[in-house]
């Protein structure tokens, strides 16, 4: 059984600390800065067994050098971005599998290009470490890839078991759900989650993780094949839409402009 702790970092990032119940060695996911990680490790007497990196953006790798200086460990990261993340020692790509014995867990790598071209996600049963590919109620902006690539990436993630918990890289949930409600104003599931999320934020608590089952009900970027979402995208575009990638593109550009 894994315990996963959110460490707030920078303005709205989360660094994830992954720990097995019977171990004092942890994996650190996307350390955008070192300070909160070093403080947490010191306070809890923990060692680092591995770093897991999803993509090259500075708010996900900026703390690596300082951390490695004090807590050296293997750095797993996207093979497609190894030229941009110098600290990677274990380059991995979609379909690769590896074990982290200190967690008692096996991980599979999924290629999820779109936000960046080499972006990857890590999956172990019940857990998706999604980086900036998938958030609660939303998804990452398309910076380097195409909308069609991003939609295909999200389709891979949507196909995971519905009980999978989604650990994304940012606290964007309230804004994401405001947009989701714009797309589907009559979606009761969205309204329910908004109330839950607002209560969490009022107490300064993380809104992540959500589950894939929930995402399939509330996240417009996973609902490109739902009639109400298609209708909203068509109204926004002013034309008929049948291709999933094109529907996603309209939704993503709509969100970008909001």
């Amino acid at each position: 059984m894994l315990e996963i702790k959110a460490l707030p970092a920078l303005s709205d990032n989360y660094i994830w600390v992954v720990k097995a119940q019977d171990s004092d060695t942890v994996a650190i996911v996307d350390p955008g800065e070192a300070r909160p990680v070093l403080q947490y490790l010191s306070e809890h007497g923990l060692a680092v067994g591995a770093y897991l990196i999803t993509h090259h953006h500075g708010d996900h790798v900026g703390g690596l050098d300082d951390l490695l200086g004090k807590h050296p460990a293997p750095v797993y990261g996207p093979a497609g971005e190894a030229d941009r993340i110098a600290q990677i020692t274990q380059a991995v790509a979609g379909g690769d599998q590896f074990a982290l014995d200190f967690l008692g867990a096996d991980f599979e790598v999924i290629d999820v290009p779109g936000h960046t071209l080499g972006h990857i996600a890590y999956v172990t049963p019940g857990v998706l470490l999604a980086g900036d590919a998938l958030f609660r109620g939303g998804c990452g902006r398309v910076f380097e890839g195409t909308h069609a690539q991003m939609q295909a990436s999200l389709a891979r993630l949507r196909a995971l078991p519905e009980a999978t918990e989604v650990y994304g890289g940012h606290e964007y949930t309230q804004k994401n759900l405001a947009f989701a409600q714009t797309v589907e104003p009559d979606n009761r599931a969205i309204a329910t989650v908004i109330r839950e999320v607002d209560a969490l934020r009022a107490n300064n608590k993380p809104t992540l993780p959500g589950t894939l089952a929930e995402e399939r009900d509330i996240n417009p970027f996973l609902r490109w094949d739902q009639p109400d979402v298609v209708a909203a995208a068509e109204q926004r575009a002013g034309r008929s839409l049948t291709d999933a990638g094109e529907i996603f593109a309209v939704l993503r550009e709509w969100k970008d402009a909001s």
Side-chain angles (χ1 to χ4, degrees), residues 12 131-141 166 168-184 190 193-194 197-198 207-208 214-215 218-221 251-252 255-256 258:
D12 52 31
D132 284 358
L134 181 62
F135 306 122
R136 194 173 184 189
C139 72
R141 286 178 179 260
V166 181
H170 291 270
E171 183 54 76
Y172 289 163
T173 311
Q174 286 176 308
K175 292 180 180 179
N176 288 340
L177 293 175
F179 175 71
Q181 199 164 53
T182 299
V183 176
E184 291 189 274
I190 294 172
V193 178
I194 285 175
V197 163
D198 286 348
T207 64
L208 283 69
E214 179 188 80
E215 292 305 310
I218 68 169
N219 190 330
F221 300 110
L251 294 169
R252 186 62 254 184
K255 175 70 163 59
D256 292 346
S258 64

Side-chain angles (χ1 to χ4, degrees), residues 30 54-55 60 119-121 129-135 167-170:
D30 284 350
T54 62
H55 65 292
H60 291 253
H119 199 305
I120 59 174
L129 303 171
D132 284 358
L134 181 62
F135 306 122
Y167 294 85
H170 291 270

Side-chain angles (χ1 to χ4, degrees), residues 99-155:
L100 295 181
D101 292 340
F102 60 90
L103 296 179
D106 296 324
F107 287 82
E108 180 179 356
V109 179
I110 301 177
D111 283 331
V112 285
H115 183 68
T116 68
L117 283 175
H119 199 305
I120 59 174
Y122 300 90
V123 180
T124 193
V127 173
L128 167 62
L129 303 171
D132 284 358
L134 181 62
F135 306 122
R136 194 173 184 189
C139 72
R141 286 178 179 260
V142 179
F143 285 128
E144 296 178 6
T146 66
H147 289 102
Q149 279 181 315
M150 189 69 164
Q151 187 274 326
S153 295
L154 293 175

Side-chain angles (χ1 to χ4, degrees), residues 21 44 64 78 165 185:
Q21 289 180 330
H44 295 273
L64 269 176
E165 294 184 329

